[in-house]
Amino acid sequence: MPSPSTNQGHSVDSFLNRHAQEFVFYGSGKAALYDGLAGLIEPGETVLVPAYLPDAVVEPLYDLELETEYYALEPSLAPDFVDLERRLDDDVIAVMSVNYFGFPHPGLDELRSIVADYGCYHVDDNAHAPLSVDGETVLGTRGHLGVTSLWKLFPVPDGAILYLNDEQAAEAYDPSSSAGVRDGFDGSDCRYLLKSAFRDVFDRNGTIRRSIDAILASRNDGRSVGGPRERYEKGKRPMSKLSAYVVEESDPRAIRQARRQNYLAWRQALESRDDVEFVFESLPEGICPQVAPVRAAGHEQFRAELDRCGVGGAKRWPRLSPRVREKPTYETATRLAREIVTLPVHQHIAPSTILDVGRQLRQ
Ligand SMILES: Cc1ncc(COP(=O)(O)O)c(C=O)c1O
């Protein structure tokens, strides 16, 4: 656990202690997922995961010698419940839901009730939403176990949390060598610090293009390169001490507020665009968006326009598994992966920068 914070009362630690029963830090969400499931499963059992999912997320499941099956989704991102129920048989040990982009998984209540009736475990994949709260519940704490990725929201080299939300999951939990926080600072912390110091110089003196690009480039510091296996292996270590320090010194309310303002700035900036549709109709209270996801029929042209305005890192998401890509059953997931463009809402971007991009897009 990180040392006591100077950010008393509003730190991430106090946020977690307020909202979560039991939690453990990890280097990556995938390593956390491995440990969370390890004590609950037998090799050969099946886990159902949504088809709209990055290819590497199933790697810990392969490591546990589990079978994985992808269930189809609706255009709203809700599960295709007919497809999901068709796959629920005696071999299924767990079903995963995903709180996409910081928002609760559409259809989550129905999924939870199906999973409860069926009697298997529910994994609440909350990689995108460490600071999102739905009513009084922090996202990621609804399943028997949940995972959340800190590095997707905070300017840190790595970091994730495993939530053990249920007695059975907590009792079965046996931490591997990837659990916890590393004791000292090491070379990877120093490389990260050097890179971020360099980035700050750019931010202060740069144009809009440079500042947005720099922020986005910083999210791409090696995590998205390499194959799915390689990315999983890289994350199998405890969280860095630097990450623990930065996370502990951060104010969750300020980050949530800044990201919400940026999300709303994108809504304003793209208001006049009939060809761009926000994936979520509203921004409910308590939600801390990871990005502002939009669907654009002319996605290639839209991304080129954004690039021209300096938003070089607006990305398509995710890189789907080859088991999903272009398969007729997963037509919707394939289409979503092609058409959804994720717009940056990082807390270090000023809303005025986004509104300015909107003005440039209209010219
Ligand atoms: C939906 C989802 N789940 C899990 C993960 C894994 O998180 P991590 O990269 O921290 O292992 C990711 C990472 O991109 C993700 O997008």
Side-chain angles (χ1 to χ4, degrees):
M1 292 266 154
S3 52
S5 166
T6 50
N7 190 10
Q8 293 294 328
H10 301 303
S11 70
V12 170
D13 219 29
S14 56
F15 169 79
L16 292 171
N17 280 318
R18 218 169 32 246
H19 287 285
Q21 264 179 40
E22 204 171 317
F23 63 92
V24 188
F25 289 114
Y26 278 83
S28 74
K30 293 185 282 294
L33 184 57
Y34 179 98
D35 274 18
L37 277 173
L40 298 174
I41 55 92
E42 295 293 335
E45 288 175 325
T46 301
V47 178
L48 302 185
V49 300
Y52 186 65
L53 193 73
D55 54 1
V57 178
V58 292
E59 289 297 329
L61 309 180
Y62 295 154
D63 224 8
L64 289 163
E65 297 177 49
L66 290 162
E67 301 294 324
T68 55
E69 264 191 55
Y70 289 94
Y71 61 84
L73 295 175
E74 303 285 353
S76 66
L77 293 174
D80 170 340
F81 285 109
V82 174
D83 186 72
L84 178 74
E85 292 201 71
R86 187 170 65 77
R87 293 174 192 279
L88 278 168
D89 61 26
D90 288 348
D91 293 332
V92 174
I93 185 73
V95 178
M96 181 193 275
S97 59
V98 175
N99 299 315
Y100 293 106
F101 310 120
F103 295 71
H105 193 155
L108 189 58
D109 288 343
E110 190 172 345
L111 180 138
R112 292 178 74 204
S113 110
I114 290 172
V115 169
D117 285 349
Y118 182 73
C120 64
Y121 297 113
H122 172 210
V123 178
D124 192 0
D125 180 334
N126 190 48
H128 300 177
L131 299 179
S132 284
V133 183
D134 184 16
E136 275 304 298
T137 309
V138 70
L139 296 191
T141 62
R142 283 201 163 114
H144 294 85
L145 59 105
V147 294
T148 207
S149 295
L150 297 165
W151 66 266
K152 286 179 188 287
L153 222 62
F154 296 89
V156 291
D158 64 6
I161 295 172
L162 169 66
Y163 291 118
L164 297 160
N165 306 322
D166 157 272
E167 229 169 79
Q168 224 176 333
E171 269 171 26
Y173 173 67
D174 181 15
S176 71
S177 58
S178 311
V181 177
R182 300 206 287 276
D183 283 339
F185 294 102
D186 63 19
S188 57
D189 289 329
C190 296
R191 278 192 297 281
Y192 184 83
L193 271 180
L194 279 171
K195 246 201 232 167
S196 31
F198 194 58
R199 188 176 77 209
D200 283 349
V201 173
F202 264 122
D203 282 355
R204 253 180 270 124
N205 304 328
T207 59
I208 296 163
R209 169 176 209 100
R210 278 184 187 156
S211 67
I212 292 191
D213 276 355
I215 287 162
L216 290 166
S218 75
R219 312 315 307 140
N220 258 341
D221 43 12
R223 277 183 210 94
S224 53
V225 295
R229 187 79 207 174
E230 199 182 331
R231 282 180 276 140
Y232 167 50
E233 292 296 333
K234 264 192 197 152
K236 271 182 169 177
R237 57 193 307 218
M239 177 155 98
S240 106
K241 192 170 176 174
L242 174 64
S243 300
Y245 180 78
V246 173
V247 167
E248 191 45 24
E249 290 305 312
S250 303
D251 179 349
R253 292 175 320 168
I255 295 175
R256 194 184 303 123
Q257 163 102 340
R259 295 184 88 104
R260 287 176 65 87
Q261 274 178 355
N262 283 337
Y263 182 93
L264 296 171
W266 278 118
R267 284 209 83 112
Q268 204 179 321
L270 297 172
E271 211 168 26
S272 60
R273 298 282 301 234
D274 294 338
D275 59 332
V276 176
E277 189 192 339
F278 276 74
V279 170
F280 299 100
E281 271 172 27
S282 63
L283 178 62
E285 209 180 311
I287 295 307
C288 177
Q290 186 223 356
V291 288
V294 295
R295 276 185 80 173
H299 50 92
E300 272 168 18
Q301 197 205 314
F302 180 53
R303 277 168 56 225
E305 281 180 68
L306 288 166
D307 198 41
R308 187 171 45 75
C309 299
V311 192
K315 287 185 294 185
R316 282 195 289 190
W317 187 90
R319 180 163 35 186
L320 294 176
S321 159
R323 288 173 54 200
V324 169
R325 222 180 297 144
E326 311 300 344
K327 302 279 189 299
T329 317
Y330 306 119
E331 200 223 323
T332 303
T334 304
R335 186 151 31 87
L336 291 170
R338 203 166 33 232
E339 291 182 0
I340 289 184
V341 177
T342 60
L343 303 168
V345 299
H346 198 278
Q347 54 271 27
H348 293 146
I349 303 174
S352 58
T353 307
I354 294 168
L355 295 177
D356 202 49
V357 170
R359 272 189 288 277
Q360 288 183 58
L361 285 172
R362 287 193 289 278
Q363 275 164 17

